[in-house]
Amino acid sequence: MNSPSTGLDTALAEGGDLLWVVDQRVTRPGPTPPPRKLHLIYRFHISPDVCAILAEQELDELPDGSHEVGVIEWINYRKTAELPIFPSIGPALSRSHPPPCRRQQRRTERRHRRELQPGSDH
């Protein structure tokens, strides 16, 4: 199992496009003013080799100082529509276009398949 502290080295991933900025005010009971939260949503293409070295667990600190282990599941962005993601960006993310590097890779793969077909002039 991977170390809980293994985060994404963005130099190993492709993309890093800022897709959305979610500006949010959270209401809380009591006299304190609602905090403003800005969520910056980036998308990276992570190859299977890079995904293999990413964390599979996260440790959430509890009030008593102990830790609760949470499982991290790396999934394709198209599967996010039904997930309880906060902020609620799953449906929009699942409908977004693939990152440019993935679109180019698919075009290149299709071109190579056509070139390898019998009867091709290439």
Side-chain angles (χ1 to χ4, degrees), residues 16-89:
D17 304 319
L18 177 62
L19 296 182
W20 296 287
V21 175
V22 180
D23 188 356
Q24 178 178 39
R25 290 239 184 237
V26 179
T27 59
R28 293 188 177 155
T32 59
R36 181 178 183 189
K37 297 186 177 226
L38 288 175
H39 301 274
L40 305 178
I41 313 297
Y42 290 88
R43 182 175 58 189
F44 289 90
H45 169 67
I46 303 170
S47 71
D49 291 338
V50 172
C51 193
I53 63 172
L54 294 176
E56 295 173 345
Q57 296 180 345
E58 65 180 357
L59 300 177
D60 294 325
E61 188 171 344
L62 299 174
D64 67 1
S66 65
H67 291 89
E68 178 179 67
V69 177
V71 175
I72 299 172
E73 181 181 356
W74 298 96
I75 63 169
N76 186 292
Y77 71 94
R78 290 184 187 98
K79 296 180 181 179
T80 60
E82 301 302 319
L83 295 178
I85 298 172
F86 181 81
S88 183
I89 61 155

Side-chain angles (χ1 to χ4, degrees), residues 94-112:
S94 69
R95 290 188 306 269
S96 64
H97 293 290
C101 58
R102 297 297 294 157
R103 287 194 302 265
Q104 180 59 40
Q105 180 181 349
R106 283 196 208 126
R107 280 193 291 259
T108 301
E109 289 169 356
R110 283 193 301 264
R111 189 180 74 239
H112 287 300

